[in-house]
Amino acid sequence: SAGEHDRSTCPRWAAWRIAARSAVYGLIRDFLSFRLTKVFDVIRGFPESEAALRDFKKCLAVTGQQKEFVQTLTDQIRRRVLILGATTNSVIDVYVKTIRALQHVDSHGVMLEAASAPI
């Protein structure tokens, strides 16, 4: 009818959509930041942790926080694997799981190259 507005041209609708997208982005970013605290455990639990890896992939696609992901993972690897007394077998096991797990998150291998450097 004559008094109704097309949603695509209504300023209020456009503002609401922007606010909703911003809120969703913030939730995804916060969820990813929370999950990053456990990224090493997710890698170490591979292949049982494939669902968590899919979450990482989806969140990274939205937020673009690949650099933060790699930095957090490498920090955790340095703290938990590359330590005095770590056996060669445990280091190799984490390295292999890191390769396999990150192939699920980044099929191009960019993040794998960066994350595996310390190993």
Side-chain angles (χ1 to χ4, degrees), residues 70 73-75 77-78 82 91 95 98-99 102 109-119:
V70 169
L73 177 57
T74 56
D75 289 348
I77 288 171
R78 284 186 180 109
L82 302 179
V91 173
Y95 183 68
T98 299
I99 292 169
L102 288 184
V110 175
M111 292 171 53
L112 172 61
E113 186 176 334
S116 63
I119 305 172

Side-chain angles (χ1 to χ4, degrees), residues 2-119:
E4 291 184 30
H5 294 286
D6 178 12
R7 284 185 179 176
S8 63
T9 60
C10 177
R12 286 185 187 160
W13 178 252
W16 184 89
R17 286 182 58 209
I18 291 169
R21 284 183 180 166
S22 178
V24 169
Y25 174 83
L27 288 171
I28 293 170
R29 186 193 63 237
D30 291 347
F31 175 75
L32 179 61
S33 293
F34 172 75
R35 291 297 299 218
L36 281 176
T37 63
K38 304 291 184 190
V39 68
F40 178 80
D41 296 322
V42 170
I43 298 293
R44 197 166 172 182
F46 184 80
E48 291 81 10
S49 61
E50 281 188 62
L53 293 169
R54 283 191 298 273
D55 288 345
F56 279 126
K57 182 175 184 169
K58 290 175 185 176
C59 290
L60 291 168
V62 172
T63 66
Q65 292 177 280
Q66 288 81 355
K67 187 175 180 178
E68 181 182 344
F69 178 95
V70 169
Q71 185 62 54
T72 302
L73 177 57
T74 56
D75 289 348
Q76 290 181 20
I77 288 171
R78 284 186 180 109
R79 272 196 337 267
R80 297 179 65 182
V81 178
L82 302 179
I83 56 174
L84 188 63
T87 66
T88 302
N89 285 346
S90 67
V91 173
I92 291 171
D93 182 54
V94 168
Y95 183 68
V96 169
K97 286 185 176 190
T98 299
I99 292 169
R100 292 184 178 154
L102 288 184
Q103 287 173 337
H104 287 272
V105 177
D106 172 30
S107 60
H108 300 292
V110 175
M111 292 171 53
L112 172 61
E113 186 176 334
S116 63
I119 305 172

